Amino acid sequence: MTAPAARFAAHAALAALLCAGAPAFAASHVFLVQNSGWMEPFYTDPASQYKPLVTELVMAATQPGDLMVLASFNQGLPGAPSPKAMLSLKVNADPVSVRTQVGSALAGLQTANKPASAALADTDLGEAVNAAIHQALAGKPGLVWLFTNNRNSPNNDQATAQRNREFYALIHQGGTISRALAFPLKMPVQGAHYRANGLMVYVFAVGDGGARELDRLLASGRVQRVITEPPARLKPLDRDTVRLVPRRVDAAPGVSFSMGPGGMLRADVEQSARTPAAKIGWNLENTMYPYTIVSARIEARSNLAGQNLPIALASDTIKALAPGQSVPLQSRMQLPVAQLPGKWSAKAIGSAGSAYVLPGRIELQLLEQRLELSQAFRQRMAALFPGDPLPEIFTPPARIYGSTALLPIEVRVHYGIGPLVTLIGVGLAAAAALGGAVLAYGRPRRAWLTVEDELRTVHTRAGLTQAIFDKGGNKVAQLKTTMFGHRLIDLREGAQVRLGR
């Protein structure tokens, strides 16, 4: 069997295992466990925590209903396909059962040899990840986990720096990987041939669905209970790189600021405020571990009620901002007065006694951005992977020239109940007048007529017209009654008829 054929067979096996009995898509996980020659001490050292770590991370990352594949990998050769699926299952609600199956699959895993040779197998990280993405997940959303000592050396290639760059290019330039994190872990092990100080765990989110799943997983804290080290961000490097935290607010009269749920900035504005603005002191924090923002130019804008306004900054540059560190940033923000509803508007009346809410956001852009690995991360990598050129390939791609951070903001305009009370009063008065008119219109009325010197009393109502007859029974006129009185119409010529006595 040729090398491509061996790879195809392995990939087909992965795909078949993942898809067998698959329900409507939930979340899929592919766990790739390296067992090439470089991993020998992780398998032979009696104190090695390699397999227990894999088991615990599988248990933490998956939930009932998830599909998962557990596969070993090294480098695919004729007669020795890689990756090689060891377990495929739909996670059930019995954690004991899942743990037992994962433990049993890992128990017999040892370092692999090349076909028909005593030589230990080489490593191809890119081959394993590509197989997981394109064959096992078949391009569908999911998470790919990679456990490795981070030595990428297919065909025993000693140019590990170049091979690692190729692997890094796969992460950054591959459109299917939407998010990537790396967890560098201390794990000293000693084998018969090699020793190692550390292990790298990667997680790659495939597609937007995979990114959302990874966000939910990290927010749950389940992974952090297994891996306490902070993850190093590999992708994306152009958004959510900094965080704005309000430190102090000097508001104008009639304006107050507070922090709402989820980090939302909330501005409460009284209807009487004519120039609602505020001087806001922020802490600008670098959230892009392990990168230091060497330098960047800053621009900020607010987008509220369809109005895009610049935010004036006291300083428009930052320098040497290490991951996890923050710098003060002063700003002045104007709220959109012209877009606030007037107190007699329908929106204001409908919000009387509560608040009319205008949602929006603050957008912060870092331009002409220069990033580099923090010294602390370089030192940590040098201790965990001595002699490994890994930190070099963590250098951000040149195309990452800027980034954007968004902060949700909510402007709440408070309207008094005065206009509403006035409108209610006017409405009640109008209703009373209308009711009075209706009563007046409908009440019985009396009219006095003199017909041929005979005084008559006629009972009528507003809106009625009644015929008037003389003593001989001839129609001589009509009496029309309105809300304002009576009058005679259609008088016959010579008729002796008049209103009154």
Side-chain angles (χ1 to χ4, degrees):
M1 183 183 291
T2 63
R7 293 192 184 98
F8 177 80
H11 300 168
L14 275 173
L17 280 172
L18 182 69
C19 297
F25 201 80
S28 289
H29 299 260
V30 181
F31 297 91
L32 298 171
V33 184
Q34 184 178 343
N35 71 331
S36 62
W38 287 113
M39 297 295 292
E40 179 260 342
F42 292 94
Y43 288 92
T44 59
D45 190 331
S48 172
Q49 294 298 304
Y50 183 52
K51 292 180 181 179
L53 171 68
V54 175
T55 301
E56 293 305 318
L57 197 53
V58 169
M59 298 301 298
T62 60
Q63 290 185 297
D66 287 353
L67 303 175
M68 64 155 286
V69 166
L70 180 65
S72 62
F73 79 95
N74 39 77
Q75 181 188 10
L77 293 173
S82 175
K84 184 177 181 181
M86 299 182 293
L87 175 68
S88 175
L89 58 84
K90 178 181 177 182
V91 178
N92 58 43
D94 181 9
V96 175
S97 170
V98 176
R99 185 185 297 276
T100 299
Q101 293 181 75
V102 173
S104 297
L106 291 171
L109 183 63
Q110 298 299 327
T111 50
N113 294 87
K114 294 180 180 180
S117 171
L120 295 171
D122 299 326
T123 310
D124 193 333
L125 300 180
E127 176 189 58
V129 173
N130 272 316
I133 293 174
H134 299 294
Q135 277 75 42
L137 293 178
K140 295 179 180 178
L143 299 179
V144 176
W145 301 83
L146 185 72
F147 300 82
T148 174
N149 72 334
N150 224 65
R151 283 190 174 273
N152 196 24
S153 55
N155 302 318
N156 200 28
D157 191 340
Q158 297 304 304
T160 55
Q162 176 61 31
R163 294 306 182 188
N164 280 342
R165 288 191 191 98
E166 294 172 0
F167 176 57
Y168 199 61
L170 167 66
I171 298 170
H172 277 284
Q173 298 172 16
T176 55
I177 296 178
S178 56
R179 189 171 179 192
L181 301 175
F183 297 86
L185 305 178
K186 183 177 181 181
M187 188 177 289
V189 286
Q190 177 66 59
H193 304 286
Y194 310 112
R195 67 182 302 272
N197 290 342
L199 179 76
M200 187 72 82
V201 178
Y202 292 96
V203 57
F204 307 111
V206 178
D208 293 338
R212 289 190 294 270
E213 175 64 21
L214 182 56
D215 288 340
R216 285 192 294 267
L217 180 58
L218 295 176
S220 73
R222 300 200 307 271
V223 171
Q224 293 87 329
R225 289 194 288 268
V226 178
I227 302 177
T228 58
E229 297 294 334
R233 188 194 302 201
L234 300 178
K235 188 179 183 179
L237 298 178
D238 58 357
R239 61 180 182 272
D240 301 325
T241 56
V242 292
R243 179 166 55 219
L244 284 171
V245 180
R247 178 172 45 86
R248 179 179 175 180
V249 178
D250 296 322
V255 182
S256 62
F257 283 80
S258 61
M259 290 301 295
M264 176 180 292
L265 181 64
R266 180 174 289 163
D268 289 279
V269 181
E270 298 297 332
Q271 67 176 48
S272 58
R274 290 292 174 263
T275 56
K279 294 180 180 179
I280 306 177
W282 308 91
N283 281 332
L284 179 66
E285 180 185 350
N286 178 359
T287 60
M288 195 166 34
Y289 178 81
Y291 300 98
T292 293
I293 302 175
V294 178
S295 63
R297 184 167 57 86
I298 313 173
E299 290 183 358
R301 307 189 67 83
S302 65
N303 194 311
L304 284 164
Q307 190 171 12
N308 197 294
L309 297 174
I311 297 176
L313 301 175
S315 174
D316 64 352
T317 59
I318 55 173
K319 292 184 178 181
L321 186 58
Q325 301 298 308
S326 61
V327 293
L329 181 66
Q330 301 294 327
S331 69
R332 179 176 177 83
M333 185 174 71
Q334 183 76 32
L335 299 180
V337 183
Q339 272 62 41
L340 301 182
K343 66 179 182 180
W344 292 104
S345 67
K347 293 178 179 178
I349 298 300
S351 302
S354 56
Y356 176 72
V357 178
L358 289 171
R361 70 179 185 271
I362 293 174
E363 181 177 300
L364 186 76
Q365 288 188 316
L366 271 60
L367 307 171
E368 301 169 17
Q369 176 181 261
R370 288 181 53 227
L371 305 175
E372 70 176 21
L373 279 179
S374 69
Q375 288 303 312
F377 185 77
R378 286 181 178 274
Q379 293 169 6
R380 177 171 171 77
M381 292 300 99
L384 294 180
F385 306 98
D388 192 335
L390 172 69
E392 178 186 346
I393 64 133
F394 265 78
T395 302
R399 61 184 176 83
I400 304 297
Y401 190 64
S403 61
T404 301
L406 300 177
L407 177 69
I409 183 172
E410 185 179 85
V411 177
R412 295 153 51 93
V413 188
H414 296 268
Y415 294 95
I417 63 172
L420 178 60
V421 171
T422 300
L423 286 180
I424 291 175
V426 170
L428 291 175
L434 180 60
V438 171
L439 289 174
Y441 189 83
R443 68 178 177 83
R445 298 170 180 265
R446 287 186 297 175
W448 287 274
L449 298 175
T450 299
V451 181
E452 296 179 339
D453 299 324
E454 179 185 11
L455 183 62
R456 298 181 185 179
T457 301
V458 179
H459 296 276
T460 184
R461 294 178 184 274
L464 294 182
T465 300
Q466 293 180 262
I468 306 300
F469 299 91
D470 60 14
K471 295 178 181 179
N474 301 309
K475 181 180 177 181
V476 292
Q478 292 192 90
L479 176 67
K480 184 174 183 178
T481 303
T482 67
M483 288 183 62
F484 306 102
H486 313 280
R487 63 190 180 93
L488 292 172
I489 60 174
D490 298 337
L491 280 168
R492 197 178 70 182
E493 185 177 355
Q496 301 179 31
V497 181
R498 69 176 187 274
L499 287 171
R501 301 174 186 273

